[in-house]
Amino acid sequence: AWLATDNVFVALMHEFFPDMLNGLNLVAIDTLHLFPETLECAKLVQEKYGKGALWKLPKDVSTPDEFEAKYGTAEDMDSADFDFVSKVEPFQRALAECQKEILITGRRMDQAAQRIELAVWEEG
């Protein structure tokens, strides 16, 4: 996904740590279920700061129709299966491609019940 926190992160890195931003890989996951406004916002941020993101889609599909033909509708899928197919697996591919030692995310404690006790720093 592309969240408001991603916009803020890129803007702050650009303003205060431009050299570091140049060495970072921005990763974005298009679940093929994002709002068009989300994609447009991401495009504008990438253009404004001259920093393209590595976009990943669910495996072996590139359109919502292909997603539905391969996996079924998001509404009919188990939520854990949908999350894995559309978010986790594409993110794992992106991480493997980037080959970085540190990951900075925009995860927030208020986004899901399992994130209530989210650690600020995680090893591993």
Side-chain angles (χ1 to χ4, degrees), residues 86-113:
S86 64
K87 301 174 186 178
V88 175
E89 190 281 330
F91 189 64
Q92 289 172 338
R93 282 188 282 121
L95 289 179
E97 188 174 327
C98 291
Q99 298 183 337
K100 299 291 182 176
E101 295 181 16
I102 295 175
L103 170 68
I104 301 171
T105 73
R107 295 186 308 169
R108 297 189 328 262
M109 290 181 195
D110 64 335
Q111 290 174 317

PDB file of all heavy atoms in Angstrom, residues 86-113:
ATOM      1  N   SER A  86      -1.739 -10.867  -1.373  1.00  0.00           N
ATOM      2  CA  SER A  86      -1.685  -9.507  -1.912  1.00  0.00           C
ATOM      3  C   SER A  86      -0.700  -8.580  -1.206  1.00  0.00           C
ATOM      4  O   SER A  86      -0.346  -7.537  -1.763  1.00  0.00           O
ATOM      5  CB  SER A  86      -3.078  -8.871  -1.894  1.00  0.00           C
ATOM      6  OG  SER A  86      -3.537  -8.727  -0.570  1.00  0.00           O
ATOM      7  N   LYS A  87      -0.235  -8.960  -0.016  1.00  0.00           N
ATOM      8  CA  LYS A  87       0.661  -8.084   0.732  1.00  0.00           C
ATOM      9  C   LYS A  87       1.966  -8.762   1.147  1.00  0.00           C
ATOM     10  O   LYS A  87       3.047  -8.283   0.830  1.00  0.00           O
ATOM     11  CB  LYS A  87      -0.045  -7.547   1.982  1.00  0.00           C
ATOM     12  CG  LYS A  87      -1.305  -6.757   1.697  1.00  0.00           C
ATOM     13  CD  LYS A  87      -2.017  -6.391   2.982  1.00  0.00           C
ATOM     14  CE  LYS A  87      -3.362  -5.734   2.706  1.00  0.00           C
ATOM     15  NZ  LYS A  87      -4.085  -5.427   3.941  1.00  0.00           N
ATOM     16  N   VAL A  88       1.848  -9.861   1.880  1.00  0.00           N
ATOM     17  CA  VAL A  88       3.033 -10.492   2.475  1.00  0.00           C
ATOM     18  C   VAL A  88       3.977 -11.047   1.417  1.00  0.00           C
ATOM     19  O   VAL A  88       5.172 -10.735   1.410  1.00  0.00           O
ATOM     20  CB  VAL A  88       2.621 -11.595   3.478  1.00  0.00           C
ATOM     21  CG1 VAL A  88       3.847 -12.324   4.009  1.00  0.00           C
ATOM     22  CG2 VAL A  88       1.803 -10.991   4.622  1.00  0.00           C
ATOM     23  N   GLU A  89       3.460 -11.874   0.511  1.00  0.00           N
ATOM     24  CA  GLU A  89       4.329 -12.497  -0.485  1.00  0.00           C
ATOM     25  C   GLU A  89       4.969 -11.459  -1.406  1.00  0.00           C
ATOM     26  O   GLU A  89       6.191 -11.517  -1.642  1.00  0.00           O
ATOM     27  CB  GLU A  89       3.551 -13.557  -1.286  1.00  0.00           C
ATOM     28  CG  GLU A  89       4.424 -14.423  -2.177  1.00  0.00           C
ATOM     29  CD  GLU A  89       4.839 -13.753  -3.465  1.00  0.00           C
ATOM     30  OE1 GLU A  89       4.081 -12.902  -3.988  1.00  0.00           O
ATOM     31  OE2 GLU A  89       5.930 -14.080  -3.964  1.00  0.00           O
ATOM     32  N   PRO A  90       4.230 -10.474  -1.916  1.00  0.00           N
ATOM     33  CA  PRO A  90       4.889  -9.441  -2.729  1.00  0.00           C
ATOM     34  C   PRO A  90       5.956  -8.662  -1.939  1.00  0.00           C
ATOM     35  O   PRO A  90       7.005  -8.314  -2.475  1.00  0.00           O
ATOM     36  CB  PRO A  90       3.749  -8.520  -3.158  1.00  0.00           C
ATOM     37  CG  PRO A  90       2.520  -9.344  -3.040  1.00  0.00           C
ATOM     38  CD  PRO A  90       2.773 -10.311  -1.912  1.00  0.00           C
ATOM     39  N   PHE A  91       5.675  -8.422  -0.663  1.00  0.00           N
ATOM     40  CA  PHE A  91       6.640  -7.708   0.172  1.00  0.00           C
ATOM     41  C   PHE A  91       7.901  -8.543   0.375  1.00  0.00           C
ATOM     42  O   PHE A  91       9.020  -8.017   0.352  1.00  0.00           O
ATOM     43  CB  PHE A  91       6.000  -7.339   1.511  1.00  0.00           C
ATOM     44  CG  PHE A  91       6.838  -6.417   2.344  1.00  0.00           C
ATOM     45  CD1 PHE A  91       7.131  -5.140   1.908  1.00  0.00           C
ATOM     46  CD2 PHE A  91       7.333  -6.821   3.560  1.00  0.00           C
ATOM     47  CE1 PHE A  91       7.908  -4.281   2.665  1.00  0.00           C
ATOM     48  CE2 PHE A  91       8.108  -5.970   4.333  1.00  0.00           C
ATOM     49  CZ  PHE A  91       8.395  -4.703   3.884  1.00  0.00           C
ATOM     50  N   GLN A  92       7.735  -9.839   0.558  1.00  0.00           N
ATOM     51  CA  GLN A  92       8.902 -10.718   0.698  1.00  0.00           C
ATOM     52  C   GLN A  92       9.766 -10.687  -0.565  1.00  0.00           C
ATOM     53  O   GLN A  92      10.993 -10.657  -0.477  1.00  0.00           O
ATOM     54  CB  GLN A  92       8.450 -12.153   1.007  1.00  0.00           C
ATOM     55  CG  GLN A  92       7.879 -12.305   2.393  1.00  0.00           C
ATOM     56  CD  GLN A  92       7.262 -13.672   2.635  1.00  0.00           C
ATOM     57  OE1 GLN A  92       6.894 -14.390   1.706  1.00  0.00           O
ATOM     58  NE2 GLN A  92       7.145 -14.041   3.904  1.00  0.00           N
ATOM     59  N   ARG A  93       9.136 -10.672  -1.734  1.00  0.00           N
ATOM     60  CA  ARG A  93       9.894 -10.582  -2.988  1.00  0.00           C
ATOM     61  C   ARG A  93      10.640  -9.254  -3.079  1.00  0.00           C
ATOM     62  O   ARG A  93      11.781  -9.201  -3.518  1.00  0.00           O
ATOM     63  CB  ARG A  93       8.970 -10.742  -4.195  1.00  0.00           C
ATOM     64  CG  ARG A  93       8.580 -12.179  -4.472  1.00  0.00           C
ATOM     65  CD  ARG A  93       7.833 -12.332  -5.784  1.00  0.00           C
ATOM     66  NE  ARG A  93       6.443 -11.906  -5.628  1.00  0.00           N
ATOM     67  CZ  ARG A  93       5.859 -10.938  -6.322  1.00  0.00           C
ATOM     68  NH1 ARG A  93       6.519 -10.280  -7.239  1.00  0.00           N
ATOM     69  NH2 ARG A  93       4.591 -10.622  -6.098  1.00  0.00           N
ATOM     70  N   ALA A  94       9.985  -8.187  -2.655  1.00  0.00           N
ATOM     71  CA  ALA A  94      10.623  -6.867  -2.692  1.00  0.00           C
ATOM     72  C   ALA A  94      11.830  -6.814  -1.764  1.00  0.00           C
ATOM     73  O   ALA A  94      12.887  -6.302  -2.138  1.00  0.00           O
ATOM     74  CB  ALA A  94       9.621  -5.777  -2.317  1.00  0.00           C
ATOM     75  N   LEU A  95      11.689  -7.357  -0.562  1.00  0.00           N
ATOM     76  CA  LEU A  95      12.813  -7.370   0.383  1.00  0.00           C
ATOM     77  C   LEU A  95      13.985  -8.166  -0.170  1.00  0.00           C
ATOM     78  O   LEU A  95      15.141  -7.744  -0.053  1.00  0.00           O
ATOM     79  CB  LEU A  95      12.383  -7.953   1.728  1.00  0.00           C
ATOM     80  CG  LEU A  95      11.453  -7.098   2.573  1.00  0.00           C
ATOM     81  CD1 LEU A  95      11.099  -7.832   3.863  1.00  0.00           C
ATOM     82  CD2 LEU A  95      12.055  -5.748   2.876  1.00  0.00           C
ATOM     83  N   ALA A  96      13.709  -9.293  -0.778  1.00  0.00           N
ATOM     84  CA  ALA A  96      14.778 -10.109  -1.360  1.00  0.00           C
ATOM     85  C   ALA A  96      15.487  -9.347  -2.472  1.00  0.00           C
ATOM     86  O   ALA A  96      16.710  -9.408  -2.602  1.00  0.00           O
ATOM     87  CB  ALA A  96      14.205 -11.421  -1.884  1.00  0.00           C
ATOM     88  N   GLU A  97      14.730  -8.607  -3.246  1.00  0.00           N
ATOM     89  CA  GLU A  97      15.317  -7.844  -4.348  1.00  0.00           C
ATOM     90  C   GLU A  97      16.160  -6.672  -3.851  1.00  0.00           C
ATOM     91  O   GLU A  97      17.199  -6.360  -4.427  1.00  0.00           O
ATOM     92  CB  GLU A  97      14.206  -7.347  -5.273  1.00  0.00           C
ATOM     93  CG  GLU A  97      14.699  -6.703  -6.540  1.00  0.00           C
ATOM     94  CD  GLU A  97      13.585  -6.362  -7.497  1.00  0.00           C
ATOM     95  OE1 GLU A  97      12.571  -7.102  -7.554  1.00  0.00           O
ATOM     96  OE2 GLU A  97      13.716  -5.334  -8.195  1.00  0.00           O
ATOM     97  N   CYS A  98      15.719  -6.021  -2.792  1.00  0.00           N
ATOM     98  CA  CYS A  98      16.431  -4.841  -2.276  1.00  0.00           C
ATOM     99  C   CYS A  98      17.739  -5.193  -1.582  1.00  0.00           C
ATOM    100  O   CYS A  98      18.677  -4.411  -1.587  1.00  0.00           O
ATOM    101  CB  CYS A  98      15.542  -4.070  -1.306  1.00  0.00           C
ATOM    102  SG  CYS A  98      14.151  -3.267  -2.083  1.00  0.00           S
ATOM    103  N   GLN A  99      17.787  -6.316  -0.913  1.00  0.00           N
ATOM    104  CA  GLN A  99      18.976  -6.770  -0.189  1.00  0.00           C
ATOM    105  C   GLN A  99      19.525  -5.703   0.762  1.00  0.00           C
ATOM    106  O   GLN A  99      20.691  -5.341   0.725  1.00  0.00           O
ATOM    107  CB  GLN A  99      20.058  -7.220  -1.170  1.00  0.00           C
ATOM    108  CG  GLN A  99      19.640  -8.392  -2.022  1.00  0.00           C
ATOM    109  CD  GLN A  99      20.730  -8.866  -2.937  1.00  0.00           C
ATOM    110  OE1 GLN A  99      21.650  -8.131  -3.285  1.00  0.00           O
ATOM    111  NE2 GLN A  99      20.653 -10.111  -3.340  1.00  0.00           N
ATOM    112  N   LYS A 100      18.656  -5.200   1.618  1.00  0.00           N
ATOM    113  CA  LYS A 100      19.050  -4.211   2.625  1.00  0.00           C
ATOM    114  C   LYS A 100      19.061  -4.853   4.005  1.00  0.00           C
ATOM    115  O   LYS A 100      18.387  -5.850   4.245  1.00  0.00           O
ATOM    116  CB  LYS A 100      18.079  -3.023   2.625  1.00  0.00           C
ATOM    117  CG  LYS A 100      18.019  -2.265   1.319  1.00  0.00           C
ATOM    118  CD  LYS A 100      19.293  -1.503   1.056  1.00  0.00           C
ATOM    119  CE  LYS A 100      19.176  -0.708  -0.232  1.00  0.00           C
ATOM    120  NZ  LYS A 100      20.315   0.119  -0.493  1.00  0.00           N
ATOM    121  N   GLU A 101      19.839  -4.279   4.914  1.00  0.00           N
ATOM    122  CA  GLU A 101      19.950  -4.820   6.262  1.00  0.00           C
ATOM    123  C   GLU A 101      18.973  -4.195   7.244  1.00  0.00           C
ATOM    124  O   GLU A 101      18.744  -4.739   8.321  1.00  0.00           O
ATOM    125  CB  GLU A 101      21.381  -4.642   6.773  1.00  0.00           C
ATOM    126  CG  GLU A 101      22.390  -5.452   5.987  1.00  0.00           C
ATOM    127  CD  GLU A 101      23.796  -5.282   6.518  1.00  0.00           C
ATOM    128  OE1 GLU A 101      23.963  -4.797   7.646  1.00  0.00           O
ATOM    129  OE2 GLU A 101      24.731  -5.625   5.791  1.00  0.00           O
ATOM    130  N   ILE A 102      18.419  -3.050   6.900  1.00  0.00           N
ATOM    131  CA  ILE A 102      17.495  -2.352   7.797  1.00  0.00           C
ATOM    132  C   ILE A 102      16.205  -2.065   7.039  1.00  0.00           C
ATOM    133  O   ILE A 102      16.224  -1.701   5.864  1.00  0.00           O
ATOM    134  CB  ILE A 102      18.106  -1.028   8.300  1.00  0.00           C
ATOM    135  CG1 ILE A 102      19.331  -1.314   9.165  1.00  0.00           C
ATOM    136  CG2 ILE A 102      17.082  -0.216   9.080  1.00  0.00           C
ATOM    137  CD1 ILE A 102      20.071  -0.077   9.617  1.00  0.00           C
ATOM    138  N   LEU A 103      15.090  -2.219   7.734  1.00  0.00           N
ATOM    139  CA  LEU A 103      13.776  -1.960   7.166  1.00  0.00           C
ATOM    140  C   LEU A 103      13.080  -0.918   8.028  1.00  0.00           C
ATOM    141  O   LEU A 103      12.986  -1.076   9.249  1.00  0.00           O
ATOM    142  CB  LEU A 103      12.958  -3.256   7.152  1.00  0.00           C
ATOM    143  CG  LEU A 103      11.481  -3.143   6.822  1.00  0.00           C
ATOM    144  CD1 LEU A 103      11.311  -2.723   5.366  1.00  0.00           C
ATOM    145  CD2 LEU A 103      10.795  -4.468   7.083  1.00  0.00           C
ATOM    146  N   ILE A 104      12.616   0.140   7.409  1.00  0.00           N
ATOM    147  CA  ILE A 104      11.832   1.166   8.102  1.00  0.00           C
ATOM    148  C   ILE A 104      10.435   1.102   7.513  1.00  0.00           C
ATOM    149  O   ILE A 104      10.266   1.176   6.304  1.00  0.00           O
ATOM    150  CB  ILE A 104      12.421   2.576   7.895  1.00  0.00           C
ATOM    151  CG1 ILE A 104      13.861   2.629   8.400  1.00  0.00           C
ATOM    152  CG2 ILE A 104      11.548   3.621   8.588  1.00  0.00           C
ATOM    153  CD1 ILE A 104      14.591   3.905   8.041  1.00  0.00           C
ATOM    154  N   THR A 105       9.442   0.928   8.374  1.00  0.00           N
ATOM    155  CA  THR A 105       8.069   0.830   7.893  1.00  0.00           C
ATOM    156  C   THR A 105       7.228   1.951   8.474  1.00  0.00           C
ATOM    157  O   THR A 105       7.620   2.615   9.425  1.00  0.00           O
ATOM    158  CB  THR A 105       7.417  -0.510   8.282  1.00  0.00           C
ATOM    159  OG1 THR A 105       7.137  -0.494   9.685  1.00  0.00           O
ATOM    160  CG2 THR A 105       8.302  -1.686   7.938  1.00  0.00           C
ATOM    161  N   GLY A 106       6.050   2.100   7.916  1.00  0.00           N
ATOM    162  CA  GLY A 106       5.082   3.055   8.433  1.00  0.00           C
ATOM    163  C   GLY A 106       4.028   2.369   9.284  1.00  0.00           C
ATOM    164  O   GLY A 106       2.962   2.926   9.504  1.00  0.00           O
ATOM    165  N   ARG A 107       4.336   1.143   9.765  1.00  0.00           N
ATOM    166  CA  ARG A 107       3.356   0.438  10.601  1.00  0.00           C
ATOM    167  C   ARG A 107       3.069   1.254  11.859  1.00  0.00           C
ATOM    168  O   ARG A 107       3.970   1.806  12.463  1.00  0.00           O
ATOM    169  CB  ARG A 107       3.867  -0.939  11.008  1.00  0.00           C
ATOM    170  CG  ARG A 107       4.041  -1.879   9.857  1.00  0.00           C
ATOM    171  CD  ARG A 107       4.411  -3.260  10.311  1.00  0.00           C
ATOM    172  NE  ARG A 107       5.554  -3.253  11.215  1.00  0.00           N
ATOM    173  CZ  ARG A 107       5.947  -4.299  11.922  1.00  0.00           C
ATOM    174  NH1 ARG A 107       5.305  -5.434  11.844  1.00  0.00           N
ATOM    175  NH2 ARG A 107       6.987  -4.227  12.720  1.00  0.00           N
ATOM    176  N   ARG A 108       1.794   1.291  12.198  1.00  0.00           N
ATOM    177  CA  ARG A 108       1.388   2.027  13.395  1.00  0.00           C
ATOM    178  C   ARG A 108       0.594   1.115  14.304  1.00  0.00           C
ATOM    179  O   ARG A 108      -0.110   0.224  13.845  1.00  0.00           O
ATOM    180  CB  ARG A 108       0.526   3.233  13.015  1.00  0.00           C
ATOM    181  CG  ARG A 108       1.237   4.261  12.184  1.00  0.00           C
ATOM    182  CD  ARG A 108       0.391   5.530  12.023  1.00  0.00           C
ATOM    183  NE  ARG A 108      -1.029   5.331  12.009  1.00  0.00           N
ATOM    184  CZ  ARG A 108      -1.782   5.247  10.892  1.00  0.00           C
ATOM    185  NH1 ARG A 108      -1.235   5.330   9.711  1.00  0.00           N
ATOM    186  NH2 ARG A 108      -3.090   5.079  10.984  1.00  0.00           N
ATOM    187  N   MET A 109       0.697   1.365  15.594  1.00  0.00           N
ATOM    188  CA  MET A 109      -0.009   0.545  16.575  1.00  0.00           C
ATOM    189  C   MET A 109      -1.524   0.616  16.418  1.00  0.00           C
ATOM    190  O   MET A 109      -2.217  -0.326  16.756  1.00  0.00           O
ATOM    191  CB  MET A 109       0.375   0.972  17.982  1.00  0.00           C
ATOM    192  CG  MET A 109       1.791   0.627  18.346  1.00  0.00           C
ATOM    193  SD  MET A 109       2.111   1.158  20.045  1.00  0.00           S
ATOM    194  CE  MET A 109       3.867   1.086  20.069  1.00  0.00           C
ATOM    195  N   ASP A 110      -2.028   1.722  15.890  1.00  0.00           N
ATOM    196  CA  ASP A 110      -3.477   1.879  15.798  1.00  0.00           C
ATOM    197  C   ASP A 110      -4.082   1.228  14.556  1.00  0.00           C
ATOM    198  O   ASP A 110      -5.278   1.297  14.335  1.00  0.00           O
ATOM    199  CB  ASP A 110      -3.848   3.360  15.846  1.00  0.00           C
ATOM    200  CG  ASP A 110      -3.327   4.154  14.665  1.00  0.00           C
ATOM    201  OD1 ASP A 110      -2.326   3.745  14.050  1.00  0.00           O
ATOM    202  OD2 ASP A 110      -3.921   5.201  14.352  1.00  0.00           O
ATOM    203  N   GLN A 111      -3.273   0.552  13.737  1.00  0.00           N
ATOM    204  CA  GLN A 111      -3.797  -0.010  12.500  1.00  0.00           C
ATOM    205  C   GLN A 111      -4.437  -1.388  12.667  1.00  0.00           C
ATOM    206  O   GLN A 111      -5.222  -1.792  11.824  1.00  0.00           O
ATOM    207  CB  GLN A 111      -2.688  -0.103  11.451  1.00  0.00           C
ATOM    208  CG  GLN A 111      -2.263   1.266  10.940  1.00  0.00           C
ATOM    209  CD  GLN A 111      -1.081   1.172  10.008  1.00  0.00           C
ATOM    210  OE1 GLN A 111      -0.139   0.450  10.260  1.00  0.00           O
ATOM    211  NE2 GLN A 111      -1.144   1.929   8.940  1.00  0.00           N
ATOM    212  N   ALA A 112      -4.063  -2.119  13.674  1.00  0.00           N
ATOM    213  CA  ALA A 112      -4.639  -3.455  13.863  1.00  0.00           C
ATOM    214  C   ALA A 112      -4.428  -3.902  15.299  1.00  0.00           C
ATOM    215  O   ALA A 112      -3.473  -3.482  15.960  1.00  0.00           O
ATOM    216  CB  ALA A 112      -3.979  -4.448  12.904  1.00  0.00           C
ATOM    217  N   ALA A 113      -5.311  -4.784  15.751  1.00  0.00           N
ATOM    218  CA  ALA A 113      -5.248  -5.244  17.138  1.00  0.00           C
ATOM    219  C   ALA A 113      -3.917  -5.917  17.452  1.00  0.00           C
ATOM    220  O   ALA A 113      -3.362  -5.729  18.530  1.00  0.00           O
ATOM    221  CB  ALA A 113      -6.400  -6.201  17.417  1.00  0.00           C
TER     222      ALA A 113
END
